[in-house]
Amino acid sequence: MKRLFAHPLFRRRRIVSRAALATSLAGFTLTAALFGVARELEAESARVDFERRAAVRTAAVTRAFGEAVHDLRALNLLFVAGKGEVSRDAFDAFAQPLAAGNGYLVALEYQRFVDGAARAAFEAERARFWPGFAIRERTADGRLVVAPPRQRYLVNDYVVPIASNASVFGYDLWSSLEERAYSQRAIDAGTPTASPLLRLVQGDGALRGMLVVMPVYRPGADLSSVAARRAAVLGQAAVVIDTGLLVGGSLHAAHLLAVDDFALTLYGRSSAGERVAVFHHPGAPPAQSGLERWLGEGPDAITTRFDVAGSQWEMRAVRLARGLDSQVGSLSILGYGSVLSLAVAFLVQQRSARTRRIESLVERRTADLALTAGALRLHQRAIESAANPILLISATRPGYPIEYANPACERILGYGPGELAGRPLAALARADSEEPGLEELRQALYECRKAHALVRQATRDGRELVSEVYIAPVNNAQGATEHFVVTTYDVTVAKRYEAELAHRARYDSLTGLANGALLLDRIERALATAGNAPVWLVALDIDHFKLVNDTLGRRIGDEALRAIAARVAASIRQADTAARTGGDNFMLVLVGYADERQAAARVQAVRDAIGEALQIEEHTLVFGSSAGVAGYPADGRDPETLVKHAELAMYRTKQLGRNAVHFYAPHMNAHASDRLALEGALRGALREDQFELYFQPQVDLGSGRVVGTEALIRWRHPHFGTVRPERFIALAEETGLIVPIGAWVLHTACRQNVRWQRAGLGPLRIGVNLSARQFAEPDLVQTVRSVLDETGLQADSLEIELTESMMMADVESAIETMHCLKAMGVKLSIDDFGTGYSSLAYLKRFPVDVLKIDRSFVHDSVLSRDGAAMVDAIISLAHGLRMQVIAEGVETLEQLDYLRGCGCDEVQGHIYARPEPVQMVEPLLRQGRVEPSPVQA
């Protein structure tokens, strides 16, 4: 055989050389080795990933338990702040948001110790709140029966939510030996203590869960020993937890259940010490082929034990068998390695190409190394440029000292470059902080696992930061943790904003009283617990409060509102509710008043408190108030109806003169309906052209000629008939419709005056009254300019009439607007002068052309010496300020003669003509000169 292979002919015909054969064998050997290493690395990566995911889920569960214990501590602090005694309303108000925000909380409770001698009085008092109330215990078969006489009871006194936990209201925990055991441990230790797994009283004993309790001691008692704590205990706060819902809900909320290669089981301990599964999330493995079963791996399992307030728990995570999809890398190495081995063997045959192949491979490897080095430098620069603090700490040295801190960390915490190096990690937390988050981070460092917690940090200059801290281990090649990387995110502003939003959602930011949302909740609760007893809703409005804002400014107004709110809150009982519903409007919910007399007395007490003189800075303010009262069930059986009827009664009080109290009566609805109908008709009046203008001539006293007219609006409705201005103008002011109505009056009056001037009636001027709402419009000047441009009326032919109160609301703004109108050439007059409260110091600053004497002064001028002196003074004042004077409401010759003798410039009134429509007033304008007619007076 050897001679055969050595034959020259065979050697010449041999296809595979020894070098190629050796190369292929070496390639297959190397491929097999790489395949084995890659498969081992894949297994290790899968194992590490499994450990990480198991740790994340365990952390989510322990954090959920921790949040439940935190809620218990918050509930206990409520009793500490209340010095051991907290009202049922206060407990409900505090506990409701906690129960609503955490679905796994079956109940939040306060369990009160009751002596046997005090049992009858205790049950009688609670029966007034909950008819049929009795202290009960649970029998061996799970039924609730009235508890027999004993020396001491631990009774569920406060329960939230009460609707789904009615069965435990009055339940005696001291009657159960296993419940007494963990309650006694909590009392002796003074710390939160968890029960073993129990079959809860809720749900007929079918629901399995746990209780975490914390004792409430007598304020100021000595708690230095177990005996002292037992003597000082008043009761205990408790949270009842549906453990299965807590675990499933927390994992689902964190999106940690959406896996199909993972199985989770949570075990607790019963009172007998038995290991009980309370939660199980199975994952169904996919079907495997024979090759996958040969290459795959069996399941791994990790069991993590943790403590919840003294109760031991286990979380078991099982990794299901891996399929081929998780071993793509090693199989790829096997396939590609085999192919590559064959290729290399073939290339060996090509001696001339081998050298070039090797050189090319060396060049590629060199380039890869250069890219790797560049990537490392890039990573370093990225960490140093990061906006968030990043720390690298040692996992092997005591105290976890800091080995590296990026510039952002040093800047935010107030340290210089390199000053944090060597400091223990604990130095970055507040020295007095004992938060659950810190304990979670300590435990994560001890267990060399990832963790995330919210902690409070102190900067070098003493500022407090609230930070989200993330810790992740950094392992060496052997899997041992040598370092931790710590990343923090400053969430101080977000947390403050979150707390502020939570408070503002239920309370008024200015006064601290309940807002609309909390008011509705209080009304619904009052109605739900009232039975047949009355509940009174009071709508309260501060009379003329707008004048404070208009004259003294918003800051003084806000101070006044805060003081008024404090008086209102102090004038009602703790069971009642006071809310601010907007502006100077308040709403009271009064309970426990048997009839209208008692309710009226309480409302009057509130009004008396409001009416006391209020000193704010140098101002002494005295307020009146208007109130309307509606009673349940007579005036309504739902919150919306009661609120509406209380407000109707309050509006009726304001219409009848303010500063009083009225109880709701059905006729008020009819009055409101009439007002609503009038408002609806008013909204369509412009569109349907129901308004028209009347004009009253203004006569020059010296010549007797008509020099102008005043435009007056009238409303002729097809069903209501002629509606007087005093009835609809105020409504238009309230609804804002006065702005488009006033614009129509201005445009129509200017257009009519242009027609008269073009008809040869002379240079007449037209007077138009502006409302306060129109005068406050920011585009008033532009509106007047547009009307003049559109109608072609000369600016000096338009006289705009303003009232004193309108200008005094915001003096500086009014003066600026008046100067703009004067700059256009428009004439300005003060209407009804003397009836307002203008100051002479301001009057000389107003660019006014005309003062109009109010008709009341004209009427009194011939009846009393004082009235005559007032008219004479107004005319002298106006002429002294270079203004013209027009007297309104002149009806008699005596009035006319007196005004002429005082030097009055112009008059208007019935003695010359009444306000008439266009077709009636035009003949008078054509005459030019008119004579007084006493018959018209």
Side-chain angles (χ1 to χ4, degrees):
M1 179 67 69
K2 289 181 180 179
R3 287 195 298 272
L4 178 63
F5 278 103
H7 193 274
L9 179 60
F10 180 80
R11 288 199 299 270
R12 286 194 300 268
R13 296 176 58 87
R14 186 171 54 193
I15 299 174
V16 181
S17 67
R18 290 189 179 91
L21 182 60
T23 299
S24 61
L25 290 175
F28 285 127
T29 302
L30 179 61
T31 298
L34 290 175
F35 170 74
V37 171
R39 192 174 180 207
E40 191 66 26
L41 289 175
E42 286 175 340
E44 178 62 20
S45 175
R47 188 159 45 251
V48 169
D49 180 69
F50 168 62
E51 292 173 353
R52 176 187 61 78
R53 291 194 288 165
V56 168
R57 285 153 179 79
T58 303
V61 173
T62 56
R63 180 166 60 251
F65 276 111
E67 290 174 353
V69 175
H70 179 271
D71 291 343
L72 173 64
R73 288 183 182 275
L75 196 63
N76 186 266
L77 284 175
L78 177 64
F79 287 88
V80 174
K83 297 185 178 179
E85 283 298 326
V86 174
S87 69
R88 188 178 304 277
D89 287 345
F91 183 87
D92 289 353
F94 186 85
Q96 284 286 1
L98 297 179
N102 300 290
Y104 56 82
L105 291 180
V106 179
L108 292 96
E109 303 172 346
Y110 174 58
Q111 301 153 356
R112 188 189 302 274
F113 277 109
V114 179
D115 292 331
R119 173 178 177 176
F122 177 81
E123 288 180 332
E125 180 180 356
R126 296 306 183 267
R128 287 195 292 271
F129 165 72
W130 192 274
F133 175 88
I135 298 178
R136 295 173 296 165
E137 66 180 26
R138 185 162 57 177
T139 63
D141 58 0
R143 293 182 298 107
L144 289 174
V145 299
V146 176
R150 280 196 292 271
Q151 291 184 353
R152 200 179 195 193
Y153 307 88
L154 181 57
V155 183
N156 265 337
D157 193 5
Y158 298 166
V159 183
V160 171
I162 188 65
S164 58
N165 293 279
S167 59
V168 301
F169 187 37
Y171 173 66
D172 177 23
L173 282 78
W174 214 244
S175 63
S176 170
L177 293 179
E178 61 179 352
E179 294 178 343
R180 184 188 301 184
Y182 69 78
S183 296
Q184 190 65 63
R185 289 200 308 274
I187 295 169
D188 294 347
T191 58
T193 302
S195 72
L197 279 172
L198 302 172
R199 294 207 174 271
L200 303 177
V201 177
Q202 293 91 335
D204 300 328
L207 179 64
R208 184 182 290 275
M210 65 179 288
L211 278 75
V212 185
V213 300
M214 189 171 182
V216 176
Y217 298 109
R218 187 179 298 105
D222 176 24
L223 305 178
S224 59
S225 64
V226 172
R229 287 191 285 274
R230 290 185 177 183
V233 69
L234 298 175
Q236 62 185 17
V239 293
V240 184
I241 302 172
D242 182 347
T243 50
L245 184 59
L246 179 142
V247 177
S250 61
L251 293 176
H252 179 74
H255 307 289
L256 298 177
L257 292 180
V259 294
D260 59 359
D261 61 346
F262 223 73
L264 293 173
T265 307
L266 180 69
Y267 296 94
R269 298 286 178 177
S270 68
S271 57
E274 298 174 343
R275 186 166 172 261
V276 180
V278 298
F279 174 81
H280 183 67
H281 179 69
Q288 292 182 306
S289 65
L291 179 61
E292 287 177 325
R293 286 194 297 273
W294 176 71
L295 291 174
E297 297 180 1
D300 291 339
I302 294 177
T303 300
T304 304
R305 296 174 176 82
F306 57 92
D307 178 275
V308 178
S311 175
Q312 299 298 318
W313 294 82
E314 296 180 8
M315 174 69 82
R316 180 175 176 79
V318 178
R319 179 167 61 95
L320 305 178
R322 297 190 301 137
L324 294 182
D325 57 343
S326 63
Q327 305 180 51
V328 173
S330 58
L331 293 176
S332 299
I333 290 175
L334 180 61
Y336 287 119
S338 299
V339 173
L340 185 60
S341 297
L342 294 175
V344 170
F346 173 77
L347 292 177
V348 169
Q349 295 289 93
Q350 311 297 324
R351 294 179 178 273
S352 61
R354 182 176 57 185
T355 302
R356 292 194 300 272
R357 189 77 172 179
I358 293 174
E359 290 174 350
S360 176
L361 184 61
V362 169
E363 290 175 357
R364 286 200 301 272
R365 294 293 182 265
T366 303
D368 290 342
L369 288 175
L371 289 175
T372 301
L376 290 175
R377 288 192 296 272
L378 179 60
H379 292 165
Q380 178 67 22
R381 290 196 301 272
I383 291 175
E384 292 179 350
S385 302
N388 293 309
I390 300 175
L391 297 168
L392 188 66
I393 63 174
S394 173
T396 58
R397 294 162 59 192
Y400 304 102
I402 298 171
E403 294 188 357
Y404 170 79
N406 72 337
C409 181
E410 295 170 339
R411 181 181 65 256
I412 292 175
L413 297 180
Y415 291 89
E419 289 185 355
L420 284 174
R423 292 176 180 264
L425 181 62
L428 302 185
R430 285 183 50 183
D432 59 344
S433 181
E434 288 296 334
E435 303 176 74
L438 285 178
E439 183 57 34
E440 164 65 14
L441 296 181
R442 293 190 191 104
Q443 190 67 23
L445 291 172
Y446 177 76
E447 297 175 2
C448 296
R449 58 176 173 81
K450 291 185 177 181
H452 161 231
L454 185 72
V455 300
R456 299 182 183 275
Q457 294 181 277
T459 64
R460 194 174 193 178
D461 58 3
R463 291 183 298 107
E464 182 181 88
L465 300 178
V466 181
S467 302
E468 293 271 4
V469 179
Y470 293 82
I471 290 180
V474 180
N475 299 331
N476 60 15
Q478 290 73 37
T481 301
E482 293 183 345
H483 294 85
F484 288 95
V485 60
V486 181
T487 307
T488 66
Y489 300 89
D490 183 5
V491 295
T492 306
V493 175
K495 289 298 179 182
R496 290 175 183 168
Y497 183 61
E498 179 182 329
E500 179 68 17
L501 286 180
H503 184 270
R504 289 187 178 183
R506 298 177 67 82
Y507 293 93
D508 177 54
S509 59
L510 177 64
T511 64
L513 298 180
N515 64 7
L518 183 56
L519 172 66
L520 180 61
D521 177 68
R522 293 288 176 84
I523 296 174
E524 290 175 345
R525 288 176 54 191
L527 299 185
T529 59
N532 293 324
V535 177
W536 307 94
L537 261 68
V538 183
L540 189 66
D541 180 81
I542 309 303
D543 294 337
H544 305 298
F545 188 84
K546 185 176 182 297
L547 291 177
V548 176
N549 286 334
D550 291 344
T551 58
L552 302 181
R554 286 274 181 192
R555 184 178 62 82
I556 298 297
D558 289 347
E559 288 294 331
L561 277 178
R562 278 191 283 268
I564 291 172
R567 291 181 177 183
V568 171
S571 302
I572 61 176
R573 301 182 309 177
Q574 187 177 5
D576 301 331
T577 298
R580 178 174 177 245
T581 56
D584 57 346
N585 298 321
F586 298 86
M587 186 71 70
L588 308 181
V589 183
L590 305 180
V591 296
Y593 300 92
D595 52 34
E596 288 187 358
R597 180 183 57 81
Q598 295 181 4
R602 177 59 60 183
V603 175
Q604 187 59 43
V606 174
R607 294 183 62 249
D608 290 342
I610 295 173
E612 294 179 4
L614 179 63
Q615 187 70 34
I616 298 180
E617 297 180 0
E618 69 276 11
H619 307 288
T620 300
L621 306 177
V622 178
F623 294 104
S625 56
S626 301
V629 186
Y632 166 87
D635 299 330
R637 292 183 171 272
D638 60 88
E640 181 180 356
T641 302
L642 288 171
V643 169
K644 181 182 72 173
H645 287 170
E647 289 179 342
L648 281 175
M650 185 265 289
Y651 292 142
R652 186 60 175 168
T653 302
K654 294 171 69 174
Q655 291 170 358
L656 295 177
R658 302 177 183 266
N659 200 27
V661 181
H662 281 85
F663 282 76
Y664 171 77
H667 70 80
M668 296 178 183
N669 254 339
H671 181 81
S673 298
D674 291 343
R675 184 182 183 279
L676 189 62
L678 186 64
E679 181 181 338
L682 184 60
R683 292 185 181 276
L686 264 181
R687 183 177 61 255
E688 297 172 10
D689 197 23
Q690 295 174 0
F691 292 116
E692 63 177 320
L693 288 185
Y694 277 40
F695 299 90
Q696 186 173 32
Q698 296 171 336
V699 180
D700 180 77
L701 272 180
S703 64
R705 296 187 61 81
V706 177
V707 294
T709 60
E710 180 181 2
L712 302 168
I713 191 171
R714 296 292 185 268
W715 179 18
R716 298 193 184 279
H717 191 270
H719 302 298
F720 299 147
T722 301
V723 184
R724 299 177 62 84
E726 55 266 25
R727 184 181 177 194
F728 72 85
I729 290 297
L731 180 60
E733 284 274 5
E734 291 181 24
T735 58
L737 293 173
I738 195 67
V739 175
I741 291 174
W744 177 86
V745 171
L746 180 63
H747 195 279
T748 305
C750 289
R751 186 173 61 242
Q752 182 59 51
N753 203 51
V754 169
R755 290 173 182 166
W756 284 333
Q757 290 181 359
R758 291 175 179 174
L761 299 184
L764 296 173
R765 69 170 183 270
I766 186 74
V768 177
N769 291 280
L770 286 190
S771 71
R773 220 33 203 271
Q774 279 180 281
F775 191 65
E777 286 292 307
D779 60 347
L780 171 64
V781 175
Q782 181 59 40
T783 300
V784 173
R785 182 180 289 110
S786 298
V787 169
L788 293 176
D789 292 342
E790 292 173 11
T791 60
L793 182 67
Q794 294 297 318
D796 58 0
S797 295
L798 173 63
E799 181 179 289
I800 291 180
E801 299 184 6
L802 310 171
T803 63
E804 296 176 73
S805 58
M806 183 191 310
M807 294 181 290
M808 292 300 294
D810 186 348
V811 174
E812 299 304 327
S813 177
I815 291 175
E816 181 181 355
T817 302
M818 294 167 73
H819 277 297
C820 292
L821 293 172
K822 284 292 294 179
M824 288 193 296
V826 175
K827 293 186 179 298
L828 302 176
S829 68
I830 298 181
D831 196 12
D832 300 334
F833 182 77
T835 62
Y837 49 87
S838 62
S839 165
L840 295 181
Y842 284 120
L843 183 60
K844 68 181 182 180
R845 295 178 58 193
F846 292 147
V848 175
D849 301 290
V850 181
L851 289 184
K852 297 190 74 173
I853 303 176
D854 185 67
R855 64 181 64 248
S856 62
F857 295 123
V858 174
H859 180 267
D860 293 341
S861 64
V862 296
L863 298 179
S864 69
R865 185 175 301 174
D866 293 340
M870 181 67 72
V871 171
D872 191 17
I874 293 175
I875 294 174
S876 298
L877 173 65
H879 288 165
L881 294 175
R882 296 179 299 282
M883 300 178 187
Q884 284 188 308
V885 181
I886 299 179
E888 293 183 298
V890 182
E891 299 178 350
T892 66
L893 291 173
E894 290 84 357
Q895 295 170 356
L896 188 65
D897 291 339
Y898 181 77
L899 291 169
R900 184 180 288 112
C902 292
C904 183
D905 301 302
E906 298 174 8
V907 296
Q908 69 181 82
H910 294 175
I911 195 169
Y912 285 111
R914 296 176 181 272
E916 300 287 355
V918 173
Q919 60 272 20
M920 300 294 291
V921 79
E922 274 189 2
L924 185 63
L925 299 180
R926 293 185 184 278
Q927 293 177 15
R929 179 181 175 84
V930 294
E931 295 295 333
S933 175
V935 178
Q936 295 179 337

